[in-house]
Amino acid sequence: MIDWNTDRILPVAGKISRPSCDSCLGRQFANVGHGMSNVERGSILRKSLGIAEVEPDECWLCEGIMGELENFSSMIVEAMDGYEYDTFLVGSRVEEDILKREEELLSLTDYGETIKREINREVGKLVADATGKEVDFIRPHITAIINTQYDDIELDVRPLYIYGRYRKLVRGIPQTRWPCRKCGGIGCDYCHGTGKMYEESVEEIIAERVVELADGTEEYFHGAGREDIDVLMLGNGRPFILEVREPRRRNLDLKMLEGEINSFGMNKVEVSDLRFAEKSEIEKLKSLKASKTYRVEIALEGEGKLNEAVNALRNCYIDQRTPSRVVHRRADKIRRRKILDIRVEAEGPGEAVLVVKAESGTYIKELVTGDGGRTKPSLSELAGCPAEVKKLDVIGIGDKDGEKIERN
Ligand SMILES: [Zn+2]
Ligand SMILES: [Zn+2]
């Protein structure tokens, strides 16, 4: 038990001459004496000072807020009721007037804490007792913010992040939803009212069922790079993270989800390796510098020395000036990239199939054509005849098992 008199506390408490509720009085000495609430501290002090009890409604500092904690707790429990969550955190916005008065008081002692801190902690305890859920200060599923001025609760629901790898089995589908370039997504004659340039996308095929099951509001698709619309994504698939905002359900059965997406994808898009992820992984995914392996069908014009060209390119560095097809939207500069492996898989008159493994960021179409001398050396240049790409597929990302993205 603390001796409030000899601790120089009572004299300071005596200065708090205006009518204060026990919470507000005790809070100014929150760091004195452990294992008791501010209400208990305030009550001891008040009795030592011989003052009558002040109800929160009459309190000059909180103007009744400290009598509302049970009420705030029930409002939060009710607001979170429609959501699946394991952890939560309570925050608060308190009127400026109260914070100003509090500042005045806190400057009198070195032992106090703020009213927000007390509200957050005490309401947090009440909500935990009522729901059986845990408070998480770092990554709560839901943050409930009390607005004391409007007697209102606002929920900040942590998005759901799902990692996976996708395979794109047909050509002509962009990776992400592509808004109509005429109307920007509203719907017009040009896009037949769809608001989109393409009927479907890898993003939409994967996300539709996930958003539905998670009962979220919107989604964002984060891919580890992207392939062109006319390029297949095969092999082990391309890593992605799907973000679903404001999910009402978050305990999804990902194995079942995988099956549903794959049957919904109808042999156009397939997903694998689904698991829950964290927001911090998105950045890592975006900056992933994985090598890629391609299968390239090429056409050769005339008699070229294909095998010599392929042998010369293996383990060779090439310099690629920004391709003429993308230079209007990207900086014109020269990038040096390594061709890690290249071999001829099949060969016929005037055509061949190559397998090429190259560093991240290599332009494969230009490696074949030379892009009018912008890529050097190129297959066309080394073979001594014009060459072009008929079909291009990504058949692997990273090494055999793919570059693993570690969780932190
Ligand atoms: Zn008060
Ligand atoms: Zn349109």
Side-chain angles (χ1 to χ4, degrees):
M1 198 64 210
I2 308 135
D3 185 345
W4 296 88
N5 285 293
T6 58
D7 259 339
R8 300 180 309 139
I9 288 165
L10 214 49
V12 179
K15 284 188 194 167
I16 304 170
S17 52
R18 284 156 289 196
S20 307
C21 70
D22 285 352
S23 257
C24 288
L25 185 60
R27 190 182 322 113
Q28 314 315 316
F29 307 94
N31 295 314
V32 181
H34 292 290
M36 67 172 89
S37 68
N38 287 337
V39 176
E40 290 167 315
R41 270 186 201 94
S43 164
I44 295 172
L45 274 168
R46 180 169 50 74
K47 284 170 187 159
S48 308
L49 289 164
I51 355 175
E53 185 174 358
V54 175
E55 289 301 322
D57 279 350
E58 305 292 318
C59 175
W60 76 279
L61 177 56
C62 72
E63 292 176 333
I65 290 176
M66 298 315 291
E68 292 290 312
L69 303 189
E70 289 275 358
N71 184 31
F72 290 143
S73 166
S74 331
M75 285 165 71
I76 290 174
V77 171
E78 198 188 326
M80 297 198 300
D81 191 42
Y83 294 86
E84 218 167 60
Y85 64 100
D86 298 326
T87 58
F88 71 95
L89 186 64
V90 174
S92 52
R93 288 198 188 95
V94 176
E95 295 98 299
E96 277 303 314
D97 292 0
I98 292 176
L99 297 181
K100 276 209 187 96
R101 291 200 290 276
E102 170 177 71
E103 225 169 86
E104 226 178 281
L105 257 196
L106 278 177
S107 62
L108 291 177
T109 81
D110 295 329
Y111 332 107
E113 67 171 356
T114 62
I115 190 167
K116 284 167 79 157
R117 210 177 134 158
E118 181 174 355
I119 294 173
N120 299 350
R121 181 184 61 242
E122 296 302 327
V123 176
K125 280 187 209 162
L126 293 172
V127 173
D129 285 347
T131 59
K133 309 287 182 177
E134 272 176 43
V135 171
D136 182 338
F137 293 97
I138 313 294
R139 276 197 295 254
H141 284 159
I142 303 181
T143 304
I145 297 150
I146 304 164
N147 188 323
T148 60
Q149 187 169 5
Y150 299 107
D151 203 21
D152 189 28
I153 305 296
E154 191 184 299
L155 296 187
D156 180 7
V157 181
R158 183 147 61 96
L160 189 60
Y161 300 98
I162 297 173
Y163 168 95
R165 302 181 80 108
Y166 76 81
R167 289 155 39 90
K168 188 177 101 187
L169 309 172
V170 292
R171 289 174 215 285
I173 304 178
Q175 184 192 59
T176 50
R177 192 177 211 284
W178 194 332
C180 169
R181 69 164 68 99
K182 289 258 157 98
C183 67
I186 304 160
C188 66
D189 286 348
Y190 183 75
C191 60
H192 308 288
T194 61
K196 300 184 286 188
M197 295 296 289
Y198 293 86
E199 191 80 6
E200 47 190 1
S201 60
V202 173
E203 171 180 17
E204 288 161 288
I205 290 172
I206 294 173
E208 185 171 313
R209 188 63 182 138
V210 185
V211 173
E212 194 179 340
L213 284 175
D215 199 359
T217 50
E218 50 184 346
E219 51 84 12
Y220 292 87
F221 190 89
H222 311 277
R226 59 170 68 214
E227 63 285 334
D228 287 342
I229 291 174
D230 59 344
V231 173
L232 300 185
M233 180 63 236
L234 306 172
N236 51 0
R238 185 184 294 277
F240 68 89
I241 289 175
L242 181 69
E243 174 179 351
V244 181
R245 296 275 170 92
E246 295 180 74
R248 285 180 174 269
R249 304 276 162 271
R250 56 174 73 238
N251 299 323
L252 306 185
D253 180 341
L254 296 185
K255 261 288 151 228
M256 196 190 79
L257 184 61
E258 197 169 301
E260 289 205 27
I261 294 170
N262 290 343
S263 64
F264 179 75
M266 295 194 300
N267 300 321
K268 292 177 185 169
V269 172
E270 270 177 21
V271 294
S272 60
D273 303 0
L274 295 189
R275 65 163 170 80
F276 293 110
E278 294 295 343
K279 185 182 186 182
S280 58
E281 290 178 67
I282 295 171
E283 188 125 350
K284 285 187 217 163
L285 188 86
K286 291 272 181 192
S287 58
L288 186 68
K289 294 270 180 278
S291 61
K292 293 180 184 62
T293 307
Y294 301 85
R295 177 172 288 117
V296 198
E297 267 185 54
I298 62 167
L300 293 153
E301 216 176 279
E303 288 289 301
K305 290 174 279 179
L306 178 66
N307 285 294
E308 282 90 330
V310 163
N311 288 336
L313 282 171
R314 191 173 303 122
N315 281 315
C316 170
Y317 281 95
I318 60 167
D319 288 328
Q320 295 200 298
R321 204 165 147 197
T322 305
S324 43
R325 66 189 164 97
V326 298
V327 75
H328 64 281
R329 56 186 163 88
R330 307 203 70 170
D332 191 5
K333 58 178 187 179
I334 293 169
R335 298 172 185 80
R336 174 159 287 194
R337 294 286 184 265
K338 190 174 184 186
I339 306 305
L340 301 163
D341 197 10
I342 179 167
R343 59 194 162 80
V344 180
E345 195 179 66
E347 202 180 347
E351 57 181 25
V353 178
L354 309 179
V355 172
V356 182
K357 182 176 179 183
E359 274 188 322
S360 169
T362 307
Y363 291 107
I364 298 299
K365 288 172 185 167
E366 285 69 21
L367 165 70
V368 172
T369 64
D371 195 19
R374 293 171 77 89
T375 286
K376 266 183 170 309
S378 69
L379 187 90
S380 173
E381 179 192 352
L382 292 168
C385 74
E388 62 171 307
V389 172
K390 305 301 282 180
K391 246 188 214 175
L392 180 63
D393 301 325
V394 182
I395 58 171
I397 291 191
D399 292 324
K400 213 167 88 215
D401 303 320
E403 253 95 325
K404 290 257 172 13
I405 297 165
E406 298 302 333
R407 312 183 69 167
N408 57 349

